[in-house]
Amino acid sequence: MSPDYSGREYIELDSADEQHFFYSYGYRFRSSGCWTMPLLPLTHFKPVFEPFRGRKVGYVRCPGNVGDGLIEAATFQLLRAHDVTVQVLETAPIPADLSAILLPGGGSMGKLYPECRQIREQVLTWGLPVTILPQSFAGPEPLPYSRVFVRDTASLTYRPDAILAPDLALGLTIRVEGEPDQDVGLWLRQDREALFPHRPALGDPARVVRSAQDYLRLAARFRHVITDRLHFAIAARLCGRQATLLPNAYPKNRSVYETWLKELGCQWQEEPPVTTTRMITLPADIHPVRPIEPRLTFVIPCMGRLDHLRQSLPAALAQPECRTIVVDYSCPQGTGDWVASLASSVTIVRIPGEPRFHLAHARNQGARQATTPWICFLDADVIVSPEFAATVLPQLVSGSCYRPDRIVEGTCGLVIVSRTDFDRIGGYDECYRGYGGEDRDLYQTLEQCGITSRVFPADCIAHIPHADHRRTEYYDIKDHQISMAIGRIYRTVKFQLQTRYNRPLSIADRIRLYDRIAVAFPSWQPGSRLEVPIDDLDCYSGKMNSGTLQIDKNI
């Protein structure tokens, strides 16, 4: 018996051209198969895509779940059906032959998903017209998009100039195989939009599978799907199954139902039904996806660099298997408050009352909050690419630290180190109080402790250009070359003394040493030697001919 498609049309794909057409959207099938027609005809999507016919556009992804993957699959189908060439973009600069940029449809407008909003804000700076594909608003977002489509009438409250259009997944063509082998399944979400997080259910379908194809296959196994996951209900209807949609934490589900799904055979229910054991028992061959434990934490200090952090933080938040810690080091721009309003997933370390920036201290304080096996120290003016985690994480092996494979201006402080090794060497030397030097000190200490230095592709990072004066804006010494020279002399002397006396210098010795070098350096004249007394240091044991170090300028 063929599956029940509730009276909808279906087509048989026998010709190679037809099969190639659908295969190009990522769907696989045998030599012939049964494909359903979309829930809504192509004419409903003409206002969205027809203006781009015959043109080339850019498409920028935002973080999302498998339901968003369903929307994206439909997006690329519909772009091709309207003869639109699309190029997926990651970062600027953008190709010169693009005429516009499209941002994904979904339910991320407003402040509920700040990581998505930050990507949209960044794209607006690229200089091309930006179109928002059909979205739902959870709050206002009065940004200057050239065109905004919304998929439900409630969203027009927040964006009255928007154009109403269907959720793009309603235009998806799919292949359905077999009949349902389960009866009724209750599936409830377990995230920030959940209204019923403690009700018994089969689970959150977005956490049971990881791909849009598997989302469809899972929905197709049930004769009747009851869910508060909007796109799981849509997946069920696409497969010709009965679907009942429940409310979520804001009006999205109800409004999309009233605007579109009510006329497409979906049912509505205000509360989950009284459950039976069968409704909430997973079939033996369905195994929820185990949560992926984060492996790496970004530690990003910020003092007076909020403009840079606005650009770099969304890229860090979008990395899979990663956490993020932002250190608000008495930032006059209120970095901590901004981050708190942006993303609840970020750990904020606040260090108040500091008139000067102390980068080594900031990084150490951030690292103390990390719980993952690896830490990546990242400056606020460094952006990681979308492939950063996917490229770097598979390379990480114990006993190693990682830096870019070539010099990229402004990224010398970027290093990935295991939390165990970082703790073992005592972190950054906090005696460095000017610009530069603490990073090279860390690398040398790691090397002396037997940690192997390895590299990752520098193409995975980018530096935000800025004026030199911003490097030292919150330091006492404003000339960064002088500051770096003091750090270089201190580091050289420190390691020479430790080698001579075969033990680490105490914190008291290091503070005195750094201060004496910093005080003496401004009077250092060409051709002379810098004299630094050391006979009162704890490490001094009289093994040197003199209690004063004489340092050549070419150290």
Side-chain angles (χ1 to χ4, degrees), residues 9 16 71 76 84 87 101 135 144 149 168 249 258 291 406 486 517 532:
E9 296 181 79
I71 299 174
F76 288 110
V84 183
Q87 179 174 342
I101 296 176
Q135 273 270 5
F149 291 93
L168 298 186
E258 293 288 352
R406 58 183 169 81
I486 292 171
I517 293 171
V532 179

Side-chain angles (χ1 to χ4, degrees), residues 25 63 73 107 111 116 256 270 313 315 391 448 454 508 519 524 554:
Y25 298 119
K111 291 188 175 182
C116 296
V256 173
E270 291 290 344
L313 183 58
T391 301
Q448 288 189 349
R454 302 181 188 272
V519 169
W524 194 2
N554 63 354

Side-chain angles (χ1 to χ4, degrees), residues 131-177:
T131 291
I132 303 294
L133 297 176
Q135 273 270 5
S136 290
F137 280 71
E141 190 171 315
L143 298 177
Y145 305 114
S146 61
R147 185 176 299 175
V148 177
F149 291 93
V150 295
R151 60 186 182 178
D152 61 281
T153 54
S155 293
L156 293 169
T157 303
Y158 295 111
R159 191 80 187 207
D161 62 334
I163 304 166
L164 188 65
D167 184 291
L168 298 186
L170 300 178
L172 182 65
T173 300
I174 66 166
R175 182 174 189 265
V176 179
E177 296 181 5

Side-chain angles (χ1 to χ4, degrees), residues 174-466:
I174 66 166
R175 182 174 189 265
V176 179
E177 296 181 5
E179 301 180 54
D181 59 4
Q182 306 294 316
D183 189 27
V184 180
L186 174 63
W187 297 88
L188 298 175
R189 65 191 307 151
Q190 300 288 324
D191 65 356
R192 68 190 84 176
E193 291 187 40
L195 274 184
F196 316 106
H198 305 299
R199 296 287 188 92
L202 289 167
D204 185 338
R207 298 182 179 183
V208 171
V209 298
R210 287 185 177 154
S211 73
Q213 277 188 310
D214 288 340
Y215 213 40
L216 290 162
R217 292 190 184 105
L218 181 62
R221 294 192 59 177
F222 292 83
R223 179 188 61 81
H224 182 189
V225 167
I226 305 172
T227 185
D228 54 359
R229 282 279 183 192
L230 173 62
H231 283 90
F232 199 53
I234 291 175
R237 293 304 300 136
L238 285 168
C239 297
R241 309 306 191 231
Q242 185 178 347
T244 298
L245 185 62
L246 304 169
N248 65 316
Y250 72 103
K252 175 186 74 177
N253 282 7
R254 182 63 189 245
S255 190
V256 173
Y257 169 78
E258 293 288 352
T259 309
W260 303 105
L261 298 184
K262 187 175 182 179
E263 301 300 321
L264 297 175
C266 188
Q267 301 170 19
W268 177 263
Q269 201 164 303
E270 291 290 344
E271 294 272 343
V274 176
T275 57
T276 64
T277 300
R278 188 173 180 184
M279 287 172 63
I280 59 173
T281 303
L282 275 176
D285 60 337
I286 298 179
H287 305 285
V289 175
R290 295 182 61 184
I292 299 175
E293 288 296 322
R295 297 178 57 201
L296 180 145
T297 296
F298 295 106
V299 173
I300 312 175
C302 185
M303 186 177 192
R305 296 293 191 93
L306 183 56
D307 56 329
H308 294 155
L309 190 67
R310 288 180 184 273
Q311 301 176 62
S312 59
L313 183 58
L317 294 178
Q319 300 298 317
E321 300 184 60
C322 295
R323 290 177 177 155
T324 302
I325 294 171
V326 172
V327 182
D328 178 346
Y329 204 84
S330 301
C331 180
Q333 300 157 322
T335 284
D337 293 340
W338 175 79
V339 173
S341 70
L342 172 72
S344 59
S345 61
V346 178
T347 299
I348 303 169
V349 177
R350 299 177 188 265
I351 302 178
E354 296 289 344
R356 297 289 180 263
F357 192 34
H358 192 174
L359 181 56
H361 180 233
R363 286 174 172 164
N364 285 342
Q365 291 299 309
R368 288 190 178 100
Q369 301 301 315
T371 58
T372 56
W374 295 87
I375 302 173
C376 176
F377 292 98
L378 199 65
D379 290 337
D381 58 1
V382 176
I383 300 175
V384 293
S385 74
E387 297 81 19
F388 180 86
T391 301
V392 170
L393 291 181
Q395 300 181 22
L396 302 182
V397 293
S398 60
S400 303
C401 64
Y402 298 80
R403 297 170 60 196
D405 60 6
R406 58 183 169 81
I407 296 174
V408 177
E409 182 183 1
T411 64
C412 291
L414 194 160
V415 63
I416 302 170
V417 60
S418 79
R419 184 161 53 91
T420 300
D421 291 335
F422 184 79
D423 291 343
R424 179 160 62 91
I425 67 169
Y428 286 93
D429 183 347
E430 295 185 12
C431 292
Y432 290 89
R433 291 188 301 279
Y435 174 84
E438 73 291 320
D439 47 2
R440 297 186 184 278
D441 187 297
L442 181 81
Y443 307 152
Q444 190 168 342
T445 303
L446 288 168
E447 182 181 354
Q448 288 189 349
C449 291
I451 307 303
T452 302
S453 181
R454 302 181 188 272
V455 296
F456 64 85
D459 292 341
C460 291
I461 57 174
H463 179 249
I464 302 171
H466 56 77

Side-chain angles (χ1 to χ4, degrees), residues 49-114:
F49 296 102
E50 192 64 30
F52 304 107
R53 182 177 291 277
R55 298 161 63 187
K56 184 176 181 180
V57 300
Y59 178 85
V60 179
R61 291 187 170 104
C62 290
N65 56 40
V66 290
D68 297 293
L70 210 62
I71 299 174
E72 183 170 287
T75 300
F76 288 110
Q77 275 194 8
L78 292 166
L79 283 166
R80 173 159 180 167
H82 288 85
D83 191 28
V84 183
T85 302
V86 62
Q87 179 174 342
V88 177
L89 301 176
E90 297 168 354
T91 59
I94 60 175
D97 58 346
L98 299 184
S99 60
I101 296 176
L102 307 183
L103 287 169
S108 63
M109 302 298 285
K111 291 188 175 182
L112 190 59
Y113 293 94

